[in-house]
Amino acid sequence: MISASPLLDPTALTGLVDGLVEHGWCVAEGFIDPALCLALQRELADLAQRDALRAAGIGRGDAHELRRDIRGDAIHWLNRESLPQRQYLAAMDTLQHALNIELYLGLFEFEAHFAHYPPGSFYQKHVDSFRGRANRVVSTVLYLNPDWPADGGGEMAIFDPAAPERELARIRPTAGTFVCFLSETVPHEVLPTRLPRASIAGWFRRNASLNGLVDPAR
Ligand code: OGA
Ligand code: MN
């Protein structure tokens, strides 16, 4: 029996771990407490207003570059500076523990950033970790947008690891929805959004996080 954080749905936690084992990816709606999602959404809005978000790039170390044609979000790394951040990280700690017990993944660190996609932005199809580097093992995304309309765009598309052209799912970025997948194998994409889109992207790793500043493989 996994003891869950009070801010995380325990039934959903079991389903999530099972989905990850069976398919390599899974989605849970209402995974994180609505009040915590709202607090995180407000914090991201506040960070944006204070100009504390930075354009996200691609590649690590010397290869790092801004490519708005590939990825259009602005980010802020979680650093435990607020209670909502600490509560979310505590919930991810519970998930990490469950993954280690059920999947023997040997995960021992979690890094995450807020992400704001302005209208018109997207993130082209990619995987989050390159085979062999084995830094990011399990990817997570929590959405923070209350009442996302059907025509809002900004869905995350998930593709078949064995047939990367085949789309398996399209996930609306509604507050509380949580997606989890194996970082090396599952191609995914953020479709162009029509509305400002708020989320937290996070990764469980096997080694120390350098928050993208230095290539840990070098
Ligand atoms: C990422 C990513 C997906 C999303 O940040 O690497 O794929 O739905 N995000 O925000
Ligand atoms: Mn990704």
Side-chain angles (χ1 to χ4, degrees):
M1 176 63 198
I2 295 153
S3 64
S5 149
L7 298 160
L8 184 156
D9 179 334
T11 317
L13 179 62
T14 311
L16 201 73
V17 174
D18 290 351
L20 204 59
V21 173
E22 217 167 305
H23 308 292
W25 64 278
C26 51
V27 185
E29 285 172 22
F31 187 65
I32 295 287
D33 180 75
L36 177 54
C37 290
L38 188 63
L40 291 164
Q41 187 220 356
R42 289 198 175 132
E43 184 167 343
L44 175 51
D46 187 54
L47 287 164
Q49 207 159 42
R50 286 178 11 227
D51 202 24
L53 302 180
R54 292 291 164 259
I58 57 160
R60 288 180 170 246
D62 293 344
H64 190 85
E65 56 176 341
L66 285 183
R67 288 287 302 270
R68 313 313 282 170
D69 55 329
I70 296 179
R71 155 172 210 191
D73 56 332
I75 65 169
H76 179 88
W77 289 94
L78 270 64
N79 58 9
R80 302 188 177 272
E81 66 202 318
S82 68
L83 180 62
Q85 283 193 29
R86 291 190 293 276
Q87 289 177 325
Y88 184 61
L89 293 170
M92 290 302 100
D93 212 52
T94 303
L95 175 58
Q96 177 175 323
H97 189 64
L99 293 172
N100 279 334
I101 288 175
E102 304 295 331
L103 285 155
Y104 309 102
L105 287 174
L107 308 171
F108 71 90
E109 193 164 288
F110 181 73
E111 61 176 353
H113 62 59
F114 286 105
H116 173 261
Y117 286 77
S121 64
F122 52 84
Y123 193 161
Q124 282 188 7
K125 194 197 282 191
H126 64 282
V127 290
D128 285 345
S129 178
F130 292 103
R131 221 177 262 280
R133 301 232 171 154
N135 293 317
R136 291 174 168 177
V137 181
V138 174
S139 302
T140 65
V141 191
L142 171 69
Y143 297 108
L144 304 175
N145 312 286
D147 309 321
W148 194 262
D151 64 353
E155 296 94 342
M156 164 145 74
I158 299 252
F159 298 87
D160 187 341
E165 295 310 311
R166 197 161 86 91
E167 188 177 312
L168 299 179
R170 217 171 249 212
I171 299 147
R172 224 188 264 188
T174 309
T177 296
F178 183 82
V179 189
C180 194
F181 53 92
L182 297 178
S183 306
E184 279 186 2
T185 52
V186 179
H188 56 283
E189 174 177 359
V190 177
L191 299 170
T193 185
R194 294 208 312 112
L195 302 169
R197 177 191 193 269
S199 62
I200 297 178
W203 298 271
F204 292 105
R205 310 171 59 106
R206 278 202 195 104
N207 66 353
S209 160
L210 296 163
N211 283 355
L213 294 175
V214 179
D215 185 345
R218 288 201 279 160

